[in-house]
Amino acid sequence: MSTAPTLADAFIARRRIAGRVLRTPLERSASLSGRLSAEVLLKLEHRQSTGSFKLRGATNALLALDAEARRRGVVAVSSGNHGRALAHAAQTAGVRCAICVSGLTPANKCAAIQALGAELHIVGRSQDEAQTEVDRLVAQEGLIEVSPFDDRQVIAGQATLGIEILEEAPDADTILVPLSGGGLAAGVALAVKAIKSAIRVVGVSMERGAAMHASLAAGRPVLVEELPTLADALGGGIGLANRYSFPLVAALLDEAVLLTEAEIAAGIRHAYVEEREIVEGGGAVGIAALLAGKVRPGGLTVVLLSGRNIDMTIHRAVINGASALPSA
Ligand SMILES: *Cc1c(COP(=O)(O)O)cnc(C)c1O
């Protein structure tokens, strides 16, 4: 087993992906700061190219491949946003790309992956089932797998977010990040804690199918049933053979909280009505956790908004008061 990624890997990633990903703004939320009587900053990473932070890790992982690996091409399982990000990075580099998703993946995310020239495989009703197609493509067609979260270069790429946040808000003492497979939380936590050890990092997931939360409680990766949720980007397992993201999250995360669908809907609404931002469910959980009172804000609190690729019909329904997926 190779070693876990470090702050040095994050700085290498930052140089590697410079010019290929946006440096997103960090802005004060007047509305949340007023409501919570604490300074709250929003890292507007949902404005990243391809609509999510996943472009950082996917671009870093793709550019770190050697010529032989690039000739073979890449394959990944995805809840949608990693697939879109990897497809974008692969298309830019002229590399073959196959993305395997489950039937739970929203149609708008599937369409975006195909529009970037990737081969899309829709398999089963969970990401664990879609993973079997990844394994087949690796074995039969020699593609190189790029995990959405359990990959050193992916975690190092997501860690560039932690560096950016502390460059602009060196006094930050709490950071809220959405939590699924843990690539984002592991990357952000490893970077910010290497720079400032006292900083508190909180992971936020949904009640419906929180595999990392259950794994942290069990002390080892466990399987959880995948369910439809407004936070579709946070669905899926963490891999029973998880190597990097689970140990890092277990060691570095200070708190992990769970949200109901109604709380996530309130986060999406707040982002739109108060912040004038379109944010997907998985991206709005940090706001939602503060609004629900499930996370006590610190002195200077940073909320990472991670993605915006919500189906706009669902977004309209939520803005108009819906508190769950129409199907759920
Ligand atoms: C993937 C994703 C997450 C969760 O990231 P992990 O690294 O799997 O924990 C959060 N928000 C959005 C929008 C995502 O696409």
Side-chain angles (χ1 to χ4, degrees), residues 213-271:
H213 196 274
S215 301
L216 290 171
R220 63 184 165 81
V222 296
L223 292 174
V224 164
E225 190 194 353
E226 199 171 329
L227 299 167
T229 165
L230 283 170
D232 57 87
L234 305 187
I238 70 163
L240 292 180
N242 188 297
R243 288 171 298 171
Y244 304 110
S245 65
F246 176 72
L248 282 167
V249 167
L252 298 176
L253 203 68
D254 296 284
E255 287 168 47
V257 300
L258 297 180
L259 300 178
T260 66
E261 295 297 298
E263 288 166 343
I264 296 166
I268 296 171
R269 266 194 301 277
H270 175 96

Side-chain angles (χ1 to χ4, degrees), residues 53-54 81 149 178-184 233-234 280 282 306-307:
F53 73 91
K54 292 274 191 347
N81 287 337
F149 50 83
L179 176 64
S180 176
L184 176 62
L234 305 187
E280 62 181 283
S306 55

Side-chain angles (χ1 to χ4, degrees), residues 54-325:
K54 292 274 191 347
L55 190 62
R56 295 175 186 257
T59 300
N60 189 46
L62 194 104
L63 294 176
L65 295 176
D66 62 19
E68 162 65 8
R70 290 191 199 200
R71 196 189 54 69
R72 286 160 66 170
V74 291
V75 61
V77 71
S78 173
S79 55
N81 287 337
H82 174 66
R84 181 170 177 171
L86 190 64
H88 175 90
Q91 187 180 55
T92 307
V95 169
R96 179 183 170 196
C97 179
I99 301 298
C100 304
V101 302
S102 85
L104 285 179
T105 307
N108 65 308
K109 291 185 174 176
C110 292
I113 290 166
Q114 284 178 307
L116 289 166
E119 305 153 34
L120 182 69
H121 302 247
I122 304 178
V123 179
R125 290 294 296 167
S126 72
Q127 284 184 75
D128 291 334
E129 287 175 31
Q131 178 67 41
T132 63
E133 179 70 359
V134 173
D135 298 342
R136 188 188 72 75
L137 288 164
V138 169
Q140 294 183 2
E141 302 193 17
L143 295 180
I144 306 294
E145 182 177 359
V146 181
S147 164
F149 50 83
D150 198 24
D151 179 290
R152 297 185 76 238
Q153 301 299 355
V154 167
I155 294 171
Q158 321 310 25
T160 62
L161 268 165
I163 299 171
E164 275 178 30
I165 289 170
L166 280 192
E167 277 174 341
E168 287 177 42
D171 296 333
D173 49 30
T174 297
I175 303 182
L176 282 81
V177 296
L179 176 64
S180 176
L184 176 62
V188 168
L190 85 81
V192 299
K193 293 200 171 191
I195 298 168
K196 183 179 173 181
S197 60
I199 203 159
R200 169 175 164 242
V201 181
V202 181
V204 190
S205 313
M206 67 294 173
E207 285 181 355
R208 292 173 62 82
M212 180 60 86
H213 196 274
S215 301
L216 290 171
R220 63 184 165 81
V222 296
L223 292 174
V224 164
E225 190 194 353
E226 199 171 329
L227 299 167
T229 165
L230 283 170
D232 57 87
L234 305 187
I238 70 163
L240 292 180
N242 188 297
R243 288 171 298 171
Y244 304 110
S245 65
F246 176 72
L248 282 167
V249 167
L252 298 176
L253 203 68
D254 296 284
E255 287 168 47
V257 300
L258 297 180
L259 300 178
T260 66
E261 295 297 298
E263 288 166 343
I264 296 166
I268 296 171
R269 266 194 301 277
H270 175 96
Y272 188 67
V273 175
E274 300 291 338
E275 316 292 349
R276 308 293 161 132
E277 301 288 342
I278 294 172
V279 181
E280 62 181 283
V285 294
I287 291 178
L290 288 175
L291 291 175
K294 289 193 169 165
V295 176
R296 171 185 54 81
L300 181 58
T301 300
V302 177
V303 181
L304 197 156
L305 308 186
S306 55
R308 68 172 170 212
N309 297 326
I310 188 170
D311 174 297
M312 288 309 288
T313 305
I314 292 175
H315 190 262
R316 260 191 305 280
V318 169
I319 298 312
N320 290 330
S323 58
L325 278 180

